[in-house]
């Protein structure tokens, strides 16, 4: 007698005399149940609400199925969850957890899903500074740039005595014919050259730029804007600017000196600078030979370039010898000798800027900030801002919900993997929506603590 076959049932090898079968009849299931924490974080800092307020919607209200705030939430949360492509949202528009975050379980029209798909979100990403016949949603770039700094300021209960603003430029490789595409000799590729400004883990600016420019181009304008906004809220806070030698430019240093902003920048070495620390290099060489280890000495002196600087400035020279090879390095600063010694200034203050590179890697590798594949720079800048907002949201989750836990210093990718990617069965009844998460989930304590802290932050 032939065995009955169920085409919807998949059989696998037995385990301990038990049949193993699988089928697609589990009902509404999500792999992103941890996104509920993102929703709580968003309510605590009102990020997507404030971000959406930077857009203007001139569509006919009676024909609109997906509001701008819902689409902004979808895109920011989607990136935070690891969905870099708009194509992913053709499936995500049916995701029950994202529908819960949007507060919209059912569409108003029978031919629509509760959430927006790739075509609708693409029109949002292609929005312009002014609405047109075919682009009825516009955005205000100045308002978006202001929002990053406002979120940073709101994260502090009181004004700090001092903050350090880190500047850095990085490559954003291009593989098409995007507007503003140029070849960059240092990075050996066609790319954009975005400018990032951080304060610790807080992202204050992400400015997309062509790559046929000096690395410090536009830095004065961005710093002036951010400093003015900070000082309106924190007039007594001392501000220190920090960057590598790419930002050691007379206009930026002169602006800092004229506006009560301190700075410490790397300084590209040259023959004059290396001549100035020859005695220290000799001492370091002797010490390295004697101990067999790396040795370093520091020299604190005044220096001015032959033509590009308008005055002498304090320079720190590091005379280092490693494995018999000299490795001289230099920095220039406005800080006085009474405030920081040469060694402290180099090792404790300047070298700490290297942590900013980890923040940029989070933005580009974990949150796809380098996915700038649309035709225009304006649209690619907006894509960069969406990725940056996802970074801000995850940082707020880490700062508010995960402080003093094992995830307090975790990267965005780790937080996504261990706290957001949770399998769950979603049951919707008349009275409630039950999201039954996996019982074997190993970080339940951290999830529960984050939920409690975020709930208190909302209250």
């Amino acid at each position: 007698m032939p065995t009955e076959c169920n085409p919807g049932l998949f059989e696998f090898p037995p385990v301990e005399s038990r049949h193993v079968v699988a089928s697609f009849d589990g009902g509404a299931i999500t792999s992103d149940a941890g996104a509920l924490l993102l929703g709580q974080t968003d309510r605590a800092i009102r990020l997507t609400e404030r971000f959406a307020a930077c857009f203007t919607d001139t569509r006919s209200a009676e024909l609109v199925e997906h509001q701008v705030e819902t689409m902004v939430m979808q895109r920011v949360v989607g990136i935070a969850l690891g969905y870099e492509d708009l194509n992913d949202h053709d499936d995500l528009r049916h995701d029950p957890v994202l529908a819960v975050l949007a507060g919209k379980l059912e569409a108003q029209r029978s031919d629509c899903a509760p959430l927006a798909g790739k075509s609708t979100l693409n029109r949002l990403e292609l929005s312009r500074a002014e609405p047109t016949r075919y682009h009825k949603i516009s955005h205000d770039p100045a308002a978006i740039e202001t929002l990053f700094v406002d979120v940073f300021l709101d994260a502090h209960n009181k004004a700090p005595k001092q903050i350090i603003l880190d500047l850095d430029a990085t490559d954003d490789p291009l593989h098409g014919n995007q507007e503003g595409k140029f070849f960059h000799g240092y990075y050996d590729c066609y790319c954009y050259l975005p400018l990032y400004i951080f304060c610790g883990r807080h992202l204050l600016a992400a400015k997309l730029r062509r790559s046929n420019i000096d690395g410090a181009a536009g830095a004065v304008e961005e710093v002036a804007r951010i400093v003015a906004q900070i000082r309106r809220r924190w007039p007594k806070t001392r501000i220190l600017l920090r960057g590598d030698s790419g930002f050691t430019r007379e206009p930026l240093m002169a602006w800092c000196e004229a506006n009560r902003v301190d700075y410490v920048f790397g300084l590209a070495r040259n023959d004059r600078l290396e001549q100035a620390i020859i005695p220290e290099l000799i001492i370091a060489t002797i010490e390295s030979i004697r101990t067999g280890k790396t040795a370093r000495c520091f020299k604190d002196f005044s220096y001015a370039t032959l033509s590009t600087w308008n005055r002498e400035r304090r320079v720190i020279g590091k005379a280092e010898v490693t494995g018999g090879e000299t490795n001289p390095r230099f920095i220039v600063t406005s800080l006085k000798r009474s405030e920081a010694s040469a060694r402290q200034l180099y090792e404790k203050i300047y070298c700490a800027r290297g942590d900013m590179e980890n923040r940029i890697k989070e933005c580009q590798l974990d949150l796809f900030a380098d996915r700038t594949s649309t035709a225009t720079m304006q649209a690619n800048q907006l894509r960069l801002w969406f990725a940056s907002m996802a970074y801000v949201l995850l940082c707020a989750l880490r700062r508010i919900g995960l402080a003093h836990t094992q995830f307090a210093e975790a990267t965005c990718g780790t937080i996504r993997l261990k706290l957001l990617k949770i399998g769950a069965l979603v049951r919707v009844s008349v009275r409630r929506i039950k999201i039954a998460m996996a019982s074997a989930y190993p970080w339940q304590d951290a999830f529960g603590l984050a939920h409690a802290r975020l709930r208190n932050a909302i209250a």
Side-chain angles (χ1 to χ4, degrees):
M1 188 175 201
T3 304
E4 292 186 8
C5 180
N6 184 347
L9 198 65
F10 307 97
E11 296 187 3
F12 295 91
V15 175
E16 294 183 350
S17 302
R18 292 177 174 86
H19 293 288
V20 178
V21 295
S23 62
F24 292 102
D25 59 358
I29 294 177
T30 181
S31 61
D32 299 313
L36 293 169
L37 291 180
L38 291 179
Q40 289 288 84
T41 305
D42 188 38
R43 294 184 188 93
I45 65 173
R46 298 174 39 248
L47 181 67
T48 58
E49 174 191 338
R50 297 157 76 181
F51 189 22
C54 300
F55 293 80
T56 300
D57 189 355
T58 62
R59 296 176 296 173
S60 300
E62 66 275 8
L63 301 178
V64 172
E65 174 67 36
H66 306 295
Q67 301 295 329
V68 169
E69 186 172 340
T70 301
M71 291 191 288
V72 167
M73 181 280 300
Q74 268 189 261
R75 192 64 180 122
V76 172
V77 172
I79 292 172
L81 290 171
Y83 300 105
E84 58 181 305
D85 290 323
L86 288 180
N87 292 342
D88 296 326
H89 286 271
D90 271 4
D91 296 321
L92 291 175
R93 60 182 174 169
H94 301 287
D95 186 271
V97 169
L98 284 182
V100 169
L101 298 187
K104 186 182 178 186
L105 298 179
E106 296 182 0
Q108 298 173 3
R109 301 193 332 231
S110 59
D111 60 339
C112 288
L115 301 176
K118 66 177 187 297
S119 299
T120 305
L121 292 173
N122 186 55
R123 288 192 287 273
L124 174 69
E125 284 199 347
L126 295 178
S127 69
R128 304 180 180 183
E130 296 293 336
T132 67
R133 179 179 179 182
Y134 300 106
H135 298 87
K136 294 184 178 294
I137 300 176
S138 60
H139 67 276
D140 183 348
I144 295 173
E145 291 174 339
T146 299
L147 178 57
F148 283 106
V149 184
D150 281 338
V151 173
F152 161 69
L153 294 170
D154 294 343
H156 296 76
N157 294 324
K158 62 180 182 179
K161 293 182 179 180
Q162 175 175 300
I163 59 174
I164 298 176
L165 304 185
D166 285 308
L167 293 83
D168 205 357
T170 189
D171 64 315
D172 179 353
L174 301 176
H175 306 286
N177 292 315
Q178 291 94 324
E179 178 187 6
K181 168 186 173 182
F182 287 96
F183 186 84
H184 196 287
Y186 178 80
Y187 293 110
D188 195 26
C189 67
Y190 288 92
C191 62
Y192 289 135
L193 194 69
L195 171 67
Y196 282 92
I197 301 178
F198 284 83
C199 182
R201 286 186 176 270
H202 294 274
L203 176 59
L204 304 186
K207 188 77 169 182
L208 198 65
R209 306 175 300 174
R210 290 174 168 84
S211 62
N212 63 334
I213 59 171
D214 181 70
V220 172
E221 292 77 9
E222 288 298 299
V223 170
R225 173 183 63 80
I226 292 170
V227 168
Q229 191 175 346
I230 291 173
R231 281 184 170 161
R232 283 195 290 271
R233 186 91 65 94
W234 300 339
K236 297 181 179 180
T237 295
R238 186 178 186 182
I239 299 174
L240 172 66
L241 213 58
R242 186 167 61 186
D244 61 20
S245 60
F247 294 93
T248 309
R249 302 291 183 266
E250 177 63 29
L252 183 55
M253 292 188 291
W255 183 91
C256 289
E257 290 159 355
N259 290 274
R260 297 182 296 108
V261 174
D262 289 307
Y263 60 83
V264 53
F265 296 133
L267 182 59
R269 61 189 181 185
N270 57 43
D271 290 341
R272 288 179 60 214
L273 287 169
E274 291 184 12
Q275 285 289 326
I277 63 168
I278 283 179
E280 285 72 25
L281 281 171
I282 293 173
I283 294 172
T285 300
I286 295 172
E287 180 66 15
S288 180
I289 293 173
R290 186 183 68 82
T291 63
K293 299 178 181 178
T294 296
R296 58 172 56 171
C297 298
F298 292 89
K299 183 173 183 178
D300 197 330
F301 60 101
S302 295
Y303 172 83
T305 61
L306 296 177
S307 59
T308 56
W309 292 8
N310 63 10
R311 50 164 290 186
E312 285 192 342
R313 294 182 169 94
R314 182 188 179 194
V315 168
I316 307 300
K318 181 194 72 169
E320 182 177 81
V321 177
T322 303
E325 298 292 330
T326 60
N327 181 33
R329 290 289 187 270
F330 303 90
I331 59 175
V332 58
T333 184
S334 64
L335 295 175
K336 297 180 176 60
R337 290 176 174 82
S338 59
E339 296 177 290
S341 66
R343 180 180 292 273
Q344 178 190 10
L345 189 59
Y346 190 92
E347 295 182 341
K348 301 298 183 182
I349 299 177
Y350 176 72
C351 287
R353 64 162 296 278
D355 190 54
M356 181 190 180
E357 296 180 7
N358 295 326
R359 308 288 77 78
I360 294 177
K361 288 177 182 177
E362 283 189 85
C363 289
Q364 291 195 327
L365 301 181
D366 292 344
L367 299 169
F368 324 110
D370 58 351
R371 193 167 180 80
T372 47
S373 54
T374 58
T376 66
M377 280 200 72
Q378 186 175 58
N380 284 322
Q381 174 66 82
L382 190 53
R383 276 194 170 187
L384 175 58
W385 280 332
F386 273 115
S388 299
M389 288 298 177
Y391 172 86
V392 171
L393 186 63
L394 282 166
C395 278
L397 169 58
R398 179 169 49 206
R399 171 174 52 83
I400 300 171
L402 302 176
H404 309 297
T405 71
Q406 67 207 86
F407 302 111
E409 299 297 325
T411 65
C412 293
T414 298
I415 291 172
R416 172 196 298 149
L417 179 64
K418 297 189 175 182
L419 284 173
L420 305 184
K421 291 294 182 178
I422 306 174
L425 176 64
V426 182
R427 299 188 182 95
V428 180
S429 66
V430 175
R431 299 185 60 184
R432 70 173 184 171
I433 302 169
K434 173 64 182 300
I435 299 174
M437 293 183 282
S439 301
Y441 176 65
W443 297 286
Q444 295 180 29
D445 290 341
F447 187 98
L449 181 59
H451 173 263
R453 288 173 171 173
L454 290 167
R455 186 171 58 183
N456 291 336
I458 295 171

